[in-house]
Amino acid sequence: MKKIKVGIVGGSIRNRWASATHIPALIKSEHHEITAVATTNMESAQQAAKQIGDIEAYDDYTKMLASKNVDMIIVSVKAPYHHEVVLNTIQANKHIYCEWPLAVTASEIDSIMRELSQSSIRHAIGLQSRQTDEVKLVKDLINKNEIGNVLSINMKVATQAKGNWVDASGSYILDRTNGATLLSINGGHSLDIVTFLFGRFTEVQANHHTHYTEARIVDHDQIMNKNIEDQYVIQGKINDHIPIAIHLQGGAYPQFLLEIQGEQGVIRLYQNRSIGHPQYGGLSVSLLKYDSTQTIISSQPDDFNLLMEDSKEAPLTNVYRAHQSFASDILWDQHETPDFHYASYLHRLITAIELAAQTGERIHTI
């Protein structure tokens, strides 16, 4: 069976995400072969190459793009560099898997989509929450009408990050120009779950709040200015008829909870040990069913039945499944993996939420 030859941009062993997820997932895969790695200096590239095996090492990713030994590129660098790497990869006619977000600004997204319109490459965006068994179970329960018509959706996403402290390596997330904000990262991955389960938003209203205007860099004992918001409160509708309320909060007790109220029950998707990133896995699903609200006198602690609890090695398992899905798209011309067209939609949704928060207006989305 033909294997997809993969080059990783940002494959340093110091890149905790790539070394903990992409590299072991691809080594495990029977459909992939890592053939090259590129970092910002040759020493780290050679270190990574040696650890992976007898593969090519580059300190300039554009030289890796010219290699005939590479079919597909993984973009696993910080968000501000995505636009450049993605554009160059499309122009090099290589398949591409890019971590979320696709880029930072709307103009960057537009330029990527224009370039993509002239290309036949396959592309995938790194939104792996939908690969979990728990999210798939929730979708199955909804599709089978287990709780009747959906009445409302509530979601709470909170993280200890993006508040009033940060370590030096993560300090870039507190500057909105770097594109790794509470709304774009925690919000983006969580909104993806909602759209995967129910469909697209048709309108949004929002407001945001900044409680902390500066943060302490804990490992340097320094103070830095912070220009990203701590909280978003979002209201909207999905498919014109399902109301949804979302609260995103940074610098708070970590939590992920998605609660779906139906005419005949309630579904809860949640993390018991959360850092506010549902894409990391560790999800659980609980279900409460009833014939009518008239049969519920009052809520009780044991009303909900646990249906599924994630005990897998996460987030590695989710990234592995995302790569398997994308391999099927490439090798057998399938269309199962969220791609750049979907990423463009999700970016437009986030832009609409930001605009609604800034203006106080209700924004109709597509």
Side-chain angles (χ1 to χ4, degrees):
M1 182 181 295
K2 179 184 176 183
K3 288 194 174 185
I4 303 166
K5 297 177 180 179
V6 182
I8 304 173
V9 180
S12 167
I13 58 176
R14 291 189 294 273
N15 182 331
R16 288 174 290 182
W17 182 253
S19 60
T21 60
H22 289 298
I23 292 172
L26 293 169
I27 290 173
K28 179 182 177 182
S29 173
E30 64 179 10
H31 301 307
H32 300 88
E33 178 186 359
I34 304 175
T35 55
V37 62
T39 70
T40 53
N41 67 78
M42 186 55 75
E43 182 181 355
S44 69
Q46 289 174 338
Q47 266 188 327
K50 183 178 180 180
Q51 188 176 58
I52 296 168
D54 185 18
I55 67 171
E56 299 170 2
Y58 297 90
D59 59 0
D60 180 350
Y61 78 90
T62 61
K63 294 179 180 177
M64 183 172 73
L65 292 179
S67 172
K68 294 181 180 179
N69 203 32
V70 174
D71 304 319
M72 166 186 154
I73 294 294
I74 293 175
V75 181
S76 185
V77 292
K78 291 179 179 178
Y81 306 106
H82 286 190
H83 176 247
E84 175 197 314
V85 180
V86 168
L87 275 184
N88 285 330
T89 302
I90 296 171
Q91 291 164 2
N93 201 36
K94 307 287 187 183
H95 303 303
I96 182 169
Y97 180 112
C98 181
E99 284 291 353
W100 173 263
L102 181 55
V104 175
T105 67
S107 62
E108 289 180 349
I109 300 295
D110 290 343
S111 68
I112 288 173
M113 300 313 293
R114 283 195 301 270
E115 193 69 35
L116 199 63
S117 67
Q118 306 174 49
S119 174
S120 61
I121 66 163
R122 304 305 293 263
H123 39 92
I125 190 71
L127 293 165
Q128 69 270 19
S129 297
R130 59 176 68 195
Q131 302 294 340
T132 67
D133 293 328
E134 294 72 31
V135 172
K136 292 177 180 178
L137 172 60
V138 172
K139 189 172 183 67
D140 188 54
L141 292 171
I142 294 165
N143 290 343
K144 289 181 177 178
N145 210 34
E146 284 291 324
I147 58 171
N149 292 328
V150 174
L151 302 176
S152 66
I153 305 164
N154 285 271
M155 184 164 66
K156 175 66 182 290
V157 185
T159 174
Q160 78 275 31
K162 301 178 175 72
N164 64 342
W165 65 271
V166 70
D167 60 20
S169 64
S171 59
Y172 78 101
I173 68 175
L174 302 185
D175 182 351
R176 71 171 62 255
T177 61
N178 290 324
T181 66
L182 177 68
L183 179 59
S184 65
I185 301 300
N186 305 76
H189 283 283
S190 303
L191 289 166
D192 172 55
I193 293 176
V194 172
T195 60
F196 174 67
L197 293 175
F198 300 101
R200 298 195 171 187
F201 283 69
T202 47
E203 68 176 56
V204 292
Q205 294 175 282
N207 61 67
H208 55 208
H209 180 72
T210 302
H211 188 78
Y212 302 109
T213 58
E214 59 183 24
R216 183 168 65 91
I217 304 177
V218 292
D219 43 352
H220 288 179
D221 199 25
Q222 296 175 335
I223 300 296
M224 67 173 290
N225 292 328
K226 168 178 169 290
N227 63 13
I228 65 168
E229 289 75 15
D230 305 322
Q231 295 187 57
Y232 283 82
V233 178
I234 305 161
Q235 298 179 44
K237 287 184 180 179
I238 296 175
N239 301 329
D240 285 325
H241 71 280
I242 305 177
I244 182 169
I246 302 168
H247 185 194
L248 307 177
Q249 186 168 7
Y253 181 78
Q255 182 181 18
F256 173 80
L257 171 63
L258 175 65
E259 185 169 276
I260 305 153
Q261 292 272 351
E263 289 181 324
Q264 297 174 351
V266 183
I267 301 170
R268 285 178 178 168
L269 176 70
Y270 54 95
Q271 281 177 315
N272 288 317
R273 294 177 296 279
S274 180
I275 58 172
H277 290 275
Q279 73 274 21
Y280 280 31
L283 297 169
S284 297
V285 180
S286 291
L287 174 67
L288 162 64
K289 291 191 68 174
Y290 45 74
D291 296 328
S292 164
T293 52
Q294 295 178 0
T295 64
I296 306 297
I297 305 302
S298 65
S299 61
Q300 302 295 327
D302 58 354
D303 282 343
F304 282 82
N305 294 313
L306 178 65
L307 299 186
M308 185 177 290
E309 185 173 18
D310 187 3
S311 59
K312 298 179 293 296
E313 186 180 359
L316 170 59
T317 299
N318 300 335
V319 174
Y320 172 80
R321 289 179 175 180
H323 280 303
Q324 296 304 297
S325 175
F326 189 40
S328 296
D329 292 349
I330 294 171
L331 296 173
W332 299 293
D333 195 28
Q334 296 183 3
H335 299 272
E336 298 297 327
T337 317
D339 61 11
F340 289 2
H341 297 293
Y342 172 75
S344 178
Y345 158 74
L346 193 56
H347 277 287
R348 293 196 304 273
L349 174 60
I350 288 170
T351 298
I353 292 170
E354 192 70 72
L355 180 61
Q358 292 171 358
T359 64
E361 297 178 358
R362 177 185 301 171
I363 306 295
H364 293 278
T365 59
I366 56 173

